[in-house]
Amino acid sequence: MAATTPALRRVGQRLRSSRGREALAAYLFVSPWVIGFLLFILGPMIASFAASFSDYAVLHPEQTGWVGWANYQRALFEDPIFRQALKVTVSYSVLAVLADLVIGFLLALLLNVSFRGVTFFRTLYYMPAVISGVVVSLMFLWIFNPRFGLANYVLRLAGLPGLPWVYSPRWVLPSLVIMSLWGVGRSTLIYLASLQSIPTHLSEAAAIDGAGALQRLLRITLPLVTPAIFFNLVLGLIDRLQTFTEAFVVTQGGPDNASLFYVLYLYRNAFTYFKMGYAAALAWILFLITLALTLLIFRSATRWVYYQDEGRGG
Amino acid sequence: MTFEADLVAALKEGRLTRRQFLRRAAGLGLSMSAVGALLEACGSAPASTPAATSAAGVVPTAPATEAATGAPAIAMTAPATEAATGATAAATTATAATTAPVAAATAAPSGGAKSVQVLVGFGSGNAPDQIPIEEQLAKKFTDAHGDTKVEFLRVPDSDAAQNKLTLTMNAGNPPQVILPSGVYGINVFIDQGVWADLTPYLKKDNLDVTQLFQAATLPAARGEGYYGKNSRVVVGIPVALHGHFLGYNKDLFQKAGLPDPTHTWNDPAWTYDKLLEYAQKLTLDKNGQHAGEDGFDADNIVQFGMARFDADIIWRGYGAHEYDPATRKVGYNTPEYIQGFQFAADLIHKYHVIPTDEAAAALSGATKTEEGTLQAWVTGKAAMAELCTCDLPTWGAVKTFKWDVAPIPRGPKRLFSYLNLDVGAIVDKATDKDAAWELLKSMLIDQGNEEQLSYESLKAIPPLKSNTAHFTDGVKRDFPTLDVNVLTDSLKYGSTESEDWHPAYIELGQTTGPLLDPVRRGEAKAADVAAKAQAAGQKVIDDWFAKHKLPS
């Protein structure tokens, strides 16, 4: 006790100092997040990693046994539905992310122009992004109804035949991609911030040198917003690979598994088939796929992302 | 996700207005699925209606060391911490005679206030006209049992109920009673060892299910699909039986010059071919020509012969089985299945006597596509419909034409008709199972209570033999034009086998369904998809047996 007293005293002195108090306050302020992270993210991640090597039975965990790599082996080599779910998810992610990048950027260009009421339009385009996915899904279920939905009504007004939308294996993914654009305001906002940070003198100088609007867009604006494109690409891809709500509410994976998204299949294994071990393995495979794609994008960024203050390369 | 599913289902069922839905869904935020699941796991989702909550009083918390006297758990699921001693409410219950329904009132248990949680959502039971009767019976139980309250946990559909039960079981606080649950809901969980074996309770109270209940209920109540034909287990107490039959529009039959179909079940002349013949004559295009006639315009049908005839009935009528427990094989590639499944699709896409959902909705003005076919029946745009006694309050509420009921016709190999059974079951890992048993006994075996719950609330045929007359009287009162004998005889010819347990109970259908759906849509032939469905389905079964054993 006597040996620890000087040490405790030193700690007490440090805490009484202004830097010590500041540090303590900092730790206290971040502790809710750290505790939450440990309990609700890191802890479950470790548990799910362990579960992925087991045949964890949700309703009678006492019967759980270790199965080694069997869950991973099954997913990667034996399960045709896994391959279908992966194919659907990757196809959708590529299409939805591309659509989001292009349309988000074009909208941002429009909203970057100064005109009366532009703030209103910026708010208007962003507002859908804050609406719950379930509400959006329900709304699009109505929009895509082949008989009385808004989409076919508009097509018919234009003299075009109606489409089966989410009720057709061929059209279900394009329909969901269209639906995903409902949230395009999120990426638009990021593009807009990026566009507004471009120094106007660059564009003005180019104009004086005779560059047309398209040239200025392609040679000045676009390179300078590549950090925003990079950001939206990474976040968009991570987000789309985890698509669940749309499939769960709108299509239930159908028709013919044409919209069986990876996370829906994972959910079914966990909570419908009670195969939590297999579901955990699926989750880790998805994590590794996402990680690999993200790293790939990061590595490629050195070739196409341009930071004004650092020169080329990310 | 459960909240979201609940909300979606609630909206679909009209229990929430759009405004309420939007408000609640928006409140969930953008990523509340995980939070929803977490809250579910914590058992904090307030699923009961305000009325139910007030009737129940407080949320139950049964002591962890609840007694389980005389209730041996199923081998797979015996909870390790369950105590085997202690005074119970059931110990004070009056013993009833073997064949006579028991009296509801039993001695009040000693000790503090208890409550029994009842999960409603695995079948019917949440309709506005059903809830008051359930709550009335709950109040009656509480009055008779002193401090034992009943709390209803209402979830909108089977999926939500499944999630609720799974998550609350994981959290260690499952509801004690599931009521009512279709056989489907029971079988989803039966191989997970979820249900308590009720035979010790029945034995203790000197009750014999074979004496009490209709014979048709027993295979499912005993879980024979899983426990085998010699099952000595009782997993559920029957509460409602729903027979299936054909409703037919007498006016349209008369207009077409057709005689009424037979009212005698298993009449050798009443076959699928005869049904098709009638249906063709009753299917008319805008020029008044009927299906099968030269010049019939299938793109402009104004009246269909049938609104609905389930494919699963038809291929069973052809003698097919989805799964054969003797050989452990699925049967998607058998000639019987291929022919039957193809015939079912042909009724829609080749003979045009049954509308697609879309065509029916367009014809009947239904605002929900999935309701289109039966909307076509109720609006007089379809002359026949395969119906269930559970449909009587909705699709039987016909005002604009005369209608009656006929048996399901025979298939080429056999007469098959659905029989849907609802039961009440007790969750094995729940606390205070004795109080739960008292509640089941009060609601489902007491003659007066059972007739209220089965017919007056659920519009079902009461499973208690002693209550059969109540159904007959009720139908005569509520649907005086119908031949009630057709409905009661549906028990003799119907079977619960379509809901029988088989390995990978949900996974099998979700695996093979997408492979078979193109046939349902008329985009493929059954023969062309059979091999693929067979291989995929058999793999699911084989995988199940690689990891599980059937109870011996």
Side-chain angles (χ1 to χ4, degrees):
Chain A
M1 192 67 187
T4 58
T5 307
L8 285 173
R9 199 177 296 134
R10 277 198 298 276
V11 171
Q13 283 168 349
R14 272 187 212 147
L15 287 177
R16 277 193 295 277
S17 71
S18 64
R19 283 192 65 182
R21 280 199 303 274
E22 196 179 337
L24 179 66
Y27 285 124
L28 283 174
F29 275 115
V30 300
S31 62
W33 185 89
V34 171
I35 293 167
F37 174 76
L38 293 175
L39 284 178
F40 299 119
I41 296 178
L42 189 62
M45 279 181 75
I46 294 168
S48 86
F49 187 66
S52 73
F53 294 99
S54 76
D55 59 358
Y56 175 33
V58 185
L59 295 176
H60 38 92
E62 72 281 359
Q63 294 186 354
T64 299
W66 295 105
V67 297
W69 292 95
N71 288 327
Y72 291 93
Q73 189 180 338
R74 183 182 165 213
L76 296 172
F77 304 111
E78 298 163 17
D79 185 355
I81 302 177
F82 165 83
R83 288 194 287 275
Q84 168 68 9
L86 193 59
K87 187 177 125 190
V88 165
T89 307
V90 171
S91 308
Y92 168 81
S93 300
V94 169
L95 290 172
V97 169
L98 278 179
D100 185 75
L101 290 178
V102 173
I103 295 176
F105 181 64
L106 294 177
L107 279 176
L109 284 177
L110 286 175
L111 295 174
N112 195 35
V113 180
S114 283
F115 62 93
R116 195 178 167 84
V118 68
T119 315
F120 169 75
F121 282 103
R122 285 174 186 168
T123 311
L124 194 71
Y125 277 98
Y126 185 69
M127 260 172 51
V130 302
I131 296 176
S132 161
V134 180
V135 180
V136 175
S137 300
L138 259 285
M139 187 178 71
F140 272 90
L141 201 54
W142 168 72
I143 289 172
F144 287 141
N145 187 293
R147 197 170 73 82
F148 45 75
L150 184 66
N152 275 357
Y153 176 75
V154 171
L155 287 178
R156 287 189 198 108
L157 279 184
L160 297 168
L163 293 171
W165 300 111
V166 293
Y167 298 93
S168 147
R170 190 174 164 193
W171 281 97
V172 65
L173 272 195
S175 305
L176 292 177
V177 170
I178 293 170
M179 183 175 150
S180 74
L181 290 173
W182 179 256
V184 75
R186 207 172 298 141
S187 54
T188 302
L189 197 73
I190 291 162
Y191 285 128
L192 194 57
S194 181
L195 285 171
Q196 293 186 343
S197 71
I198 297 174
T200 50
H201 67 263
L202 295 176
S203 194
E204 286 164 2
I208 291 166
D209 288 345
L214 186 63
Q215 274 184 310
R216 292 203 302 276
L217 174 69
L218 294 178
R219 293 181 184 276
I220 294 174
T221 309
L222 204 57
L224 290 175
V225 296
T226 49
I229 296 175
F230 172 68
F231 181 81
N232 280 333
L233 176 64
V234 172
L235 286 198
L237 191 69
I238 293 171
D239 190 42
R240 299 304 194 280
L241 286 171
Q242 297 177 64
T243 300
F244 174 80
T245 309
E246 295 86 335
F248 187 69
V249 175
V250 179
T251 65
Q252 289 285 316
D256 305 355
N257 281 344
S259 66
L260 181 64
F261 282 87
Y262 193 99
V263 180
L264 178 62
Y265 184 53
L266 187 159
Y267 168 82
R268 282 184 182 172
N269 272 284
F271 296 106
T272 308
Y273 310 154
F274 306 118
K275 293 177 180 173
M276 191 60 88
Y278 187 54
L282 291 177
W284 277 93
I285 292 170
L286 180 64
F287 173 73
L288 293 175
I289 290 171
T290 309
L291 185 67
L293 290 174
T294 308
L295 289 176
L296 198 69
I297 296 169
F298 265 87
R299 288 204 65 169
S300 75
T302 53
R303 294 167 178 268
W304 62 273
V305 179
Y306 181 83
Y307 292 100
Q308 279 183 79
D309 48 350
E310 294 176 9
R312 184 165 292 276
Chain B
M1 283 171 294
T2 306
F3 281 148
E4 294 168 353
D6 291 358
L7 278 178
V8 171
L11 179 70
K12 284 180 177 172
E13 291 172 15
R15 289 184 291 101
L16 283 181
T17 64
R18 280 172 196 275
R19 184 183 298 276
Q20 288 170 321
F21 173 81
L22 284 169
R23 196 164 53 227
R24 292 187 193 183
L28 288 179
L30 290 171
S31 57
M32 282 299 281
S33 6
V35 179
L38 187 65
L39 289 173
E40 286 279 20
C42 295
S44 61
S48 53
T49 61
T53 307
S54 64
V58 291
V59 176
T61 46
T65 55
E66 194 56 55
T69 309
I74 303 166
M76 262 171 74
T77 61
T81 56
E82 201 162 52
T85 57
T88 67
T92 59
T93 304
T95 303
T98 304
T99 56
V102 297
T106 54
S110 58
K114 292 179 179 178
S115 75
V116 178
Q117 276 193 324
V118 181
L119 178 60
V120 188
F122 270 109
S124 51
N126 279 328
D129 53 342
Q130 294 170 341
I131 291 172
I133 294 174
E134 292 161 3
E135 291 184 354
Q136 182 194 330
L137 294 177
K139 184 176 181 303
K140 195 171 167 186
F141 174 81
T142 300
D143 290 347
H145 289 75
D147 53 1
T148 305
K149 314 261 186 193
V150 180
E151 182 195 14
F152 291 102
L153 298 175
R154 298 187 184 278
V155 293
D157 59 26
S158 187
D159 285 344
Q162 190 181 331
N163 286 341
K164 186 83 174 174
L165 184 57
T166 303
L167 293 166
T168 53
M169 283 191 68
N170 271 282
N173 61 342
Q176 288 101 322
V177 172
I178 312 297
L179 176 71
S181 171
V183 174
Y184 177 87
I186 294 295
N187 282 339
V188 167
F189 289 99
I190 200 168
D191 59 359
Q192 303 295 313
V194 166
W195 310 119
D197 179 9
L198 303 177
T199 44
Y201 295 98
L202 289 157
K203 196 173 174 184
K204 179 168 60 68
D205 287 331
N206 202 21
L207 297 168
D208 180 355
V209 288
T210 61
Q211 299 294 319
L212 286 169
F213 298 107
Q214 303 276 1
T217 66
L218 298 179
R222 286 175 163 159
E224 288 184 2
Y226 181 62
Y227 289 103
K229 291 290 175 195
N230 298 318
S231 169
R232 292 179 182 173
V233 172
V234 173
V235 291
I237 300 297
V239 57
L241 261 172
H242 290 292
H244 284 241
F245 51 87
L246 286 184
Y248 66 96
N249 183 323
K250 288 172 78 82
D251 294 345
L252 294 182
F253 266 69
Q254 198 175 8
K255 205 170 162 185
L258 291 171
D260 283 11
T262 179
H263 285 203
T264 305
W265 280 86
N266 213 16
D267 182 334
W270 187 227
T271 62
Y272 291 174
D273 287 342
K274 179 58 87 177
L275 181 80
L276 174 60
E277 179 192 324
Y278 279 16
Q280 284 185 303
K281 287 180 179 161
L282 290 158
T283 301
L284 303 175
D285 67 12
K286 65 178 182 183
N287 301 315
Q289 287 186 294
H290 66 73
E293 203 173 4
D294 284 344
F296 172 72
D297 181 1
D299 293 328
N300 287 291
I301 298 173
V302 295
Q303 175 185 304
F304 283 90
M306 288 204 72
R308 176 176 81 177
F309 194 20
D310 202 294
D312 289 11
I313 292 180
I314 295 172
W315 55 254
R316 283 189 169 86
Y318 272 75
H321 292 88
E322 187 173 34
Y323 169 72
D324 180 1
T327 60
R328 296 184 174 180
K329 300 285 181 199
V330 293
Y332 301 110
N333 66 348
T334 58
E336 294 86 359
Y337 188 89
I338 292 169
Q339 288 166 20
F341 194 48
Q342 188 60 57
F343 179 72
D346 286 348
L347 289 176
I348 301 169
H349 304 289
K350 179 180 172 185
Y351 301 116
H352 305 290
V353 296
I354 298 178
T356 61
D357 286 351
E358 283 303 306
L363 190 63
S364 63
T367 52
K368 291 181 184 173
T369 309
E370 66 272 22
E371 285 184 357
T373 57
L374 285 174
Q375 195 69 35
W377 152 258
V378 86
T379 54
K381 306 285 188 188
M384 293 182 278
E386 173 236 322
L387 297 171
C388 161
T389 46
C390 56
D391 292 322
L392 286 174
T394 49
W395 306 115
V398 172
K399 306 283 183 201
T400 53
F401 57 85
K402 288 182 198 157
W403 74 290
D404 205 342
V405 291
I408 299 290
R410 286 181 57 84
K413 291 278 174 67
R414 62 187 285 219
L415 165 58
F416 176 81
S417 179
Y418 286 144
L419 199 57
N420 299 126
L421 173 67
D422 283 353
V423 300
I426 295 177
V427 177
D428 197 41
K429 285 189 177 174
T431 52
D432 206 357
K433 287 185 285 189
D434 297 299
W437 168 248
E438 290 304 312
L439 179 69
L440 277 193
K441 205 169 59 170
S442 165
M443 288 182 126
L444 311 185
I445 304 181
D446 175 87
Q447 188 172 345
N449 292 343
E450 199 250 14
E451 71 180 25
Q452 285 296 308
L453 195 59
S454 59
Y455 182 76
E456 300 302 339
S457 172
L458 303 172
K459 285 291 177 284
I461 303 170
L464 271 184
K465 289 177 181 173
S466 53
N467 267 341
T468 307
H470 186 77
F471 174 77
T472 312
D473 296 343
V475 170
K476 284 179 180 168
R477 178 193 69 210
D478 299 332
F479 304 94
T481 64
L482 304 187
D483 183 349
V484 70
N485 292 328
V486 171
L487 305 184
T488 51
D489 284 352
S490 68
L491 291 189
K492 294 179 197 161
Y493 298 96
S495 164
T496 56
E497 72 175 65
S498 64
E499 293 183 291
D500 269 357
W501 178 88
H502 55 68
Y505 194 62
I506 298 182
E507 191 177 1
L508 179 63
Q510 288 194 338
T511 302
T512 58
L515 302 171
L516 299 168
D517 282 346
V519 181
R520 295 181 206 276
R521 294 197 302 269
E523 296 167 3
K525 295 289 178 193
D528 297 335
V529 301
K532 206 169 176 184
Q534 179 73 17
Q538 194 59 50
K539 184 175 185 314
V540 171
I541 298 291
D542 293 344
D543 284 352
W544 191 91
F545 277 112
K547 289 183 182 167
H548 302 86
K549 283 182 181 171
L550 289 173
S552 52

